[in-house]
Short mmCIF file of all heavy atoms in Angstrom, two decimals:
data_model
loop_
_atom_site.label_atom_id
_atom_site.label_comp_id
_atom_site.label_asym_id
_atom_site.label_seq_id
_atom_site.Cartn_x
_atom_site.Cartn_y
_atom_site.Cartn_z
N PRO A 1 0.80 -1.23 0.00
CA PRO A 1 0.00 0.00 0.00
C PRO A 1 0.83 1.28 0.00
O PRO A 1 0.27 2.37 -0.18
CB PRO A 1 -0.83 -0.12 1.29
CG PRO A 1 -0.01 -0.99 2.18
CD PRO A 1 0.68 -1.97 1.28
N ARG A 2 2.13 1.16 0.19
CA ARG A 2 2.97 2.36 0.19
C ARG A 2 3.27 2.87 -1.21
O ARG A 2 3.79 3.97 -1.38
CB ARG A 2 4.28 2.08 0.93
CG ARG A 2 4.11 1.76 2.41
CD ARG A 2 5.43 1.39 3.04
NE ARG A 2 5.98 0.18 2.43
CZ ARG A 2 7.25 -0.21 2.57
NH1 ARG A 2 8.09 0.52 3.27
NH2 ARG A 2 7.67 -1.32 1.99
N LEU A 3 2.93 2.07 -2.22
CA LEU A 3 3.17 2.49 -3.61
C LEU A 3 2.00 3.33 -4.09
O LEU A 3 0.84 2.99 -3.89
CB LEU A 3 3.31 1.27 -4.52
CG LEU A 3 3.42 1.58 -6.02
CD1 LEU A 3 4.69 2.34 -6.33
CD2 LEU A 3 3.36 0.30 -6.84
N ARG A 4 2.33 4.45 -4.74
CA ARG A 4 1.32 5.34 -5.33
C ARG A 4 1.66 5.49 -6.80
O ARG A 4 2.61 6.16 -7.17
CB ARG A 4 1.37 6.70 -4.63
CG ARG A 4 0.47 7.75 -5.21
CD ARG A 4 -0.91 7.68 -4.59
NE ARG A 4 -1.53 9.00 -4.57
CZ ARG A 4 -2.11 9.59 -5.61
NH1 ARG A 4 -2.12 8.97 -6.78
NH2 ARG A 4 -2.66 10.77 -5.49
N LEU A 5 0.89 4.83 -7.67
CA LEU A 5 1.08 4.95 -9.11
C LEU A 5 0.35 6.19 -9.61
O LEU A 5 -0.85 6.33 -9.40
CB LEU A 5 0.57 3.70 -9.83
CG LEU A 5 1.31 2.39 -9.52
CD1 LEU A 5 0.64 1.23 -10.23
CD2 LEU A 5 2.77 2.50 -9.91
N VAL A 6 1.09 7.07 -10.25
CA VAL A 6 0.53 8.34 -10.72
C VAL A 6 0.56 8.33 -12.25
O VAL A 6 1.63 8.31 -12.86
CB VAL A 6 1.34 9.54 -10.19
CG1 VAL A 6 0.72 10.86 -10.68
CG2 VAL A 6 1.39 9.51 -8.66
N ILE A 7 -0.62 8.31 -12.86
CA ILE A 7 -0.71 8.29 -14.32
C ILE A 7 -0.69 9.72 -14.84
O ILE A 7 -1.54 10.54 -14.47
CB ILE A 7 -2.01 7.58 -14.78
CG1 ILE A 7 -2.13 6.21 -14.10
CG2 ILE A 7 -2.01 7.44 -16.29
CD1 ILE A 7 -0.99 5.28 -14.38
N HIS A 8 0.29 10.01 -15.68
CA HIS A 8 0.41 11.35 -16.26
C HIS A 8 -0.74 11.58 -17.24
O HIS A 8 -1.13 10.68 -17.98
CB HIS A 8 1.75 11.49 -16.98
CG HIS A 8 2.23 12.90 -17.07
ND1 HIS A 8 1.40 13.95 -17.35
CD2 HIS A 8 3.48 13.44 -16.92
CE1 HIS A 8 2.10 15.07 -17.37
NE2 HIS A 8 3.37 14.78 -17.10
N ASN A 9 -1.29 12.78 -17.22
CA ASN A 9 -2.45 13.10 -18.06
C ASN A 9 -2.05 13.55 -19.46
O ASN A 9 -2.83 14.23 -20.14
CB ASN A 9 -3.31 14.18 -17.40
CG ASN A 9 -2.52 15.45 -17.10
OD1 ASN A 9 -1.31 15.49 -17.34
ND2 ASN A 9 -3.19 16.45 -16.58
N ARG A 10 -0.86 13.16 -19.88
CA ARG A 10 -0.44 13.44 -21.26
C ARG A 10 0.41 12.28 -21.76
O ARG A 10 0.92 11.50 -20.97
CB ARG A 10 0.35 14.74 -21.35
CG ARG A 10 1.72 14.69 -20.70
CD ARG A 10 2.50 15.97 -20.93
NE ARG A 10 1.83 17.11 -20.32
CZ ARG A 10 2.28 18.35 -20.43
NH1 ARG A 10 3.38 18.60 -21.12
NH2 ARG A 10 1.64 19.35 -19.84
N ASN A 11 0.52 12.18 -23.06
CA ASN A 11 1.33 11.12 -23.64
C ASN A 11 2.81 11.40 -23.46
O ASN A 11 3.25 12.55 -23.50
CB ASN A 11 1.02 10.95 -25.13
CG ASN A 11 -0.38 10.38 -25.37
OD1 ASN A 11 -0.94 9.72 -24.51
ND2 ASN A 11 -0.93 10.63 -26.54
N GLY A 12 3.58 10.34 -23.30
CA GLY A 12 5.01 10.48 -23.21
C GLY A 12 5.67 10.23 -24.55
O GLY A 12 5.04 9.78 -25.48
N PRO A 13 6.96 10.56 -24.64
CA PRO A 13 7.76 11.05 -23.52
C PRO A 13 7.70 12.57 -23.41
O PRO A 13 7.40 13.27 -24.37
CB PRO A 13 9.17 10.61 -23.90
CG PRO A 13 9.16 10.67 -25.41
CD PRO A 13 7.78 10.25 -25.83
N SER A 14 8.00 13.06 -22.21
CA SER A 14 8.21 14.49 -21.98
C SER A 14 9.50 14.60 -21.17
O SER A 14 10.23 13.64 -21.03
CB SER A 14 7.02 15.11 -21.26
OG SER A 14 6.89 14.59 -19.94
N THR A 15 9.76 15.77 -20.61
CA THR A 15 10.97 15.92 -19.81
C THR A 15 10.79 15.27 -18.44
O THR A 15 9.66 15.08 -17.96
CB THR A 15 11.30 17.41 -19.62
OG1 THR A 15 10.24 18.04 -18.89
CG2 THR A 15 11.47 18.09 -20.97
N LYS A 16 11.89 14.92 -17.82
CA LYS A 16 11.83 14.37 -16.46
C LYS A 16 11.21 15.38 -15.50
O LYS A 16 10.46 14.99 -14.58
CB LYS A 16 13.22 13.96 -16.00
CG LYS A 16 13.25 13.34 -14.61
CD LYS A 16 14.64 12.90 -14.21
CE LYS A 16 15.08 11.69 -14.99
NZ LYS A 16 16.37 11.12 -14.46
N ALA A 17 11.51 16.66 -15.71
CA ALA A 17 10.94 17.69 -14.84
C ALA A 17 9.43 17.72 -14.95
O ALA A 17 8.72 17.93 -13.95
CB ALA A 17 11.53 19.05 -15.20
N ASP A 18 8.90 17.51 -16.14
CA ASP A 18 7.45 17.49 -16.33
C ASP A 18 6.82 16.35 -15.54
O ASP A 18 5.79 16.53 -14.87
CB ASP A 18 7.12 17.36 -17.82
CG ASP A 18 5.64 17.21 -18.08
OD1 ASP A 18 4.87 18.11 -17.66
OD2 ASP A 18 5.23 16.19 -18.67
N CYS A 19 7.42 15.18 -15.59
CA CYS A 19 6.91 14.03 -14.85
C CYS A 19 7.04 14.26 -13.34
O CYS A 19 6.13 13.91 -12.57
CB CYS A 19 7.65 12.77 -15.27
SG CYS A 19 6.90 11.23 -14.68
N LEU A 20 8.13 14.86 -12.91
CA LEU A 20 8.31 15.16 -11.49
C LEU A 20 7.27 16.18 -11.00
O LEU A 20 6.79 16.08 -9.87
CB LEU A 20 9.72 15.69 -11.24
CG LEU A 20 10.86 14.67 -11.35
CD1 LEU A 20 12.22 15.36 -11.27
CD2 LEU A 20 10.75 13.60 -10.26
N ASN A 21 6.93 17.14 -11.84
CA ASN A 21 5.89 18.10 -11.48
C ASN A 21 4.56 17.41 -11.24
O ASN A 21 3.80 17.76 -10.33
CB ASN A 21 5.75 19.16 -12.56
CG ASN A 21 6.88 20.16 -12.55
OD1 ASN A 21 7.55 20.36 -11.54
ND2 ASN A 21 7.11 20.81 -13.68
N ARG A 22 4.26 16.41 -12.09
CA ARG A 22 3.02 15.65 -11.92
C ARG A 22 3.04 14.87 -10.60
O ARG A 22 2.03 14.79 -9.89
CB ARG A 22 2.82 14.70 -13.10
CG ARG A 22 1.57 13.84 -13.00
CD ARG A 22 0.30 14.68 -13.07
NE ARG A 22 -0.88 13.87 -12.82
CZ ARG A 22 -1.42 13.69 -11.62
NH1 ARG A 22 -0.88 14.26 -10.55
NH2 ARG A 22 -2.51 12.94 -11.47
N LEU A 23 4.19 14.30 -10.25
CA LEU A 23 4.31 13.59 -8.99
C LEU A 23 4.16 14.54 -7.80
O LEU A 23 3.56 14.20 -6.78
CB LEU A 23 5.66 12.87 -8.93
CG LEU A 23 5.86 11.73 -9.92
CD1 LEU A 23 7.28 11.18 -9.82
CD2 LEU A 23 4.85 10.62 -9.69
N TYR A 24 4.70 15.74 -7.94
CA TYR A 24 4.58 16.73 -6.87
C TYR A 24 3.12 17.13 -6.65
O TYR A 24 2.67 17.29 -5.51
CB TYR A 24 5.44 17.96 -7.21
CG TYR A 24 5.41 19.02 -6.13
CD1 TYR A 24 6.15 18.85 -4.96
CD2 TYR A 24 4.66 20.18 -6.29
CE1 TYR A 24 6.13 19.82 -3.97
CE2 TYR A 24 4.64 21.15 -5.30
CZ TYR A 24 5.38 20.96 -4.15
OH TYR A 24 5.35 21.92 -3.16
N GLU A 25 2.38 17.28 -7.74
CA GLU A 25 0.96 17.59 -7.62
C GLU A 25 0.22 16.48 -6.88
O GLU A 25 -0.65 16.75 -6.03
CB GLU A 25 0.35 17.78 -9.01
CG GLU A 25 0.85 19.02 -9.74
CD GLU A 25 0.34 19.08 -11.17
OE1 GLU A 25 -0.38 18.14 -11.57
OE2 GLU A 25 0.64 20.06 -11.87
N ALA A 26 0.56 15.23 -7.20
CA ALA A 26 -0.08 14.10 -6.51
C ALA A 26 0.26 14.09 -5.03
O ALA A 26 -0.60 13.80 -4.18
CB ALA A 26 0.34 12.80 -7.17
N MET A 27 1.50 14.41 -4.69
CA MET A 27 1.90 14.45 -3.28
C MET A 27 1.15 15.55 -2.54
O MET A 27 0.66 15.34 -1.41
CB MET A 27 3.41 14.69 -3.17
CG MET A 27 3.93 14.63 -1.75
SD MET A 27 5.59 15.35 -1.55
CE MET A 27 5.20 17.10 -1.76
N CYS A 28 1.03 16.73 -3.16
CA CYS A 28 0.31 17.83 -2.52
C CYS A 28 -1.16 17.47 -2.30
O CYS A 28 -1.75 17.82 -1.27
CB CYS A 28 0.42 19.09 -3.38
SG CYS A 28 2.08 19.81 -3.43
N ALA A 29 -1.75 16.76 -3.27
CA ALA A 29 -3.14 16.33 -3.11
C ALA A 29 -3.28 15.36 -1.94
O ALA A 29 -4.25 15.43 -1.17
CB ALA A 29 -3.64 15.69 -4.40
#
């Protein structure tokens, strides 16, 4: 249960920073 899979709302690939921003949004939520 400690795993949190976060599906990006856009097709890849993009930059690593873009994916990290999506993960940060999930953490804030």
Side-chain angles (χ1 to χ4, degrees):
R2 296 175 297 164
L3 174 65
R4 175 88 150 79
L5 295 177
V6 181
I7 309 301
H8 206 319
N9 57 357
R10 69 175 63 183
N11 291 336
S14 66
T15 63
K16 181 177 289 188
D18 175 58
C19 192
L20 289 172
N21 285 338
R22 179 66 187 91
L23 293 176
Y24 182 76
E25 292 174 359
M27 185 196 71
C28 291

